[in-house]
Amino acid sequence: MNDARTYLEHDWYAGGIPANVVVEKDAYIETSYGFDRLFSERQPGLILGNASGAYHRTVFALGPKGRIVVGAYTCLNDTNLFCNDSITIGAHCLLAWGVVLTDTWMESDLPITVRRAVLQAAASDPYRRLPPISTPRPITLEDNVWVGFEAVILPGVTLGRGCVVGCKTVVAEDVPPYAVVVGNPARIIRFLEPDDTDAVRDRALREYGRD
């Protein structure tokens, strides 16, 4: 695999951006420190969409088979993404500090022998990588999703378009479009009016756009 890296002039961290990271036009990366745990062997392993942003110490931790796609204009602010298969984030999403997205989770009924084998494998790895302890399940965030600080999105979850996840909420099941969810486990407390549809946008442009 080509290990040629790109280096940011303003960066305090010398690690650089791995060659299998695609940075589209006007995407912003505050520091390459967030790629220190990116071990994906896929081409590409990570795509940062047009004008998206990875701020502060956003972490992209990918196993060899992991791939993350971040949509246009999406903002990741000190967000933690752990991926052994697939995490897809749509356009115009906002993810706050301390948010965790993980497509792999330790199942409560795993025998002790399996847990021991995983820890032994990590101990013998020079990078101390923890291999998947269960089958990864893809995570999908559709467009215009907002996720509050320190919320946790668990494997297999889809967050529907325009939904809002409250701070410190733990989401283990799909969230429908435009729902507002809070708590652990997450529960729906209301639905928002869909104001981001093509029809609403076209009407706004007609009413407020300049001639």
Side-chain angles (χ1 to χ4, degrees):
M1 181 176 69
N2 180 14
D3 195 34
R5 291 174 176 254
T6 302
Y7 295 90
L8 305 172
E9 292 183 3
H10 63 270
D11 203 351
W12 58 269
Y13 183 71
I17 302 172
N20 63 340
V21 174
V22 174
V23 182
E24 295 185 352
K25 181 182 177 182
D26 296 326
Y28 176 77
I29 300 170
E30 185 160 329
T31 174
S32 61
Y33 179 79
F35 306 114
D36 185 61
R37 306 303 296 173
L38 193 156
F39 297 106
S40 176
E41 298 173 359
R42 300 180 69 176
Q43 297 289 345
L46 169 63
I47 300 173
L48 293 173
N50 179 40
S52 62
Y55 295 91
H56 197 44
R57 295 185 182 179
T58 291
V59 172
F60 300 97
L62 289 85
K65 298 180 180 180
R67 174 178 287 163
I68 296 174
V69 178
V70 179
Y73 302 101
T74 281
C75 176
L76 307 175
N77 183 18
D78 202 6
T79 305
N80 303 283
L81 298 96
F82 301 95
C83 178
N84 286 297
D85 180 12
S86 172
I87 295 177
T88 303
I89 302 173
H92 300 279
C93 294
L94 296 174
L95 281 70
W97 68 90
V99 168
V100 173
L101 276 65
T102 178
D103 69 359
T104 313
W105 197 251
M106 182 182 293
E107 304 296 338
S108 59
D109 59 349
L110 282 175
I112 190 65
T113 53
V114 174
R115 301 186 188 198
R116 183 181 295 114
V118 168
L119 292 176
Q120 288 174 338
S124 62
D125 187 317
Y127 296 105
R128 294 298 189 264
R129 291 173 292 188
L130 190 69
I133 199 167
S134 62
T135 302
R137 291 183 290 146
I139 290 175
T140 301
L141 278 62
E142 297 179 353
D143 293 347
N144 296 345
V145 169
W146 290 16
V147 184
F149 70 84
E150 295 185 355
V152 178
I153 313 302
L154 293 174
V157 165
T158 294
L159 301 182
R161 181 185 179 98
C163 74
V164 177
V165 178
C167 304
K168 296 181 179 288
T169 297
V170 178
V171 184
E173 297 180 352
D174 292 352
V175 176
Y178 305 106
V180 179
V181 297
V182 299
N184 179 16
R187 67 185 188 281
I188 297 173
I189 59 171
R190 63 173 296 188
F191 282 90
L192 303 174
E193 290 293 329
D195 61 356
D196 62 343
T197 62
D198 291 340
V200 171
R201 181 179 58 191
D202 292 343
R203 184 172 69 247
L205 290 173
R206 289 196 303 272
E207 294 177 355
Y208 302 108
R210 295 180 180 179
D211 295 332

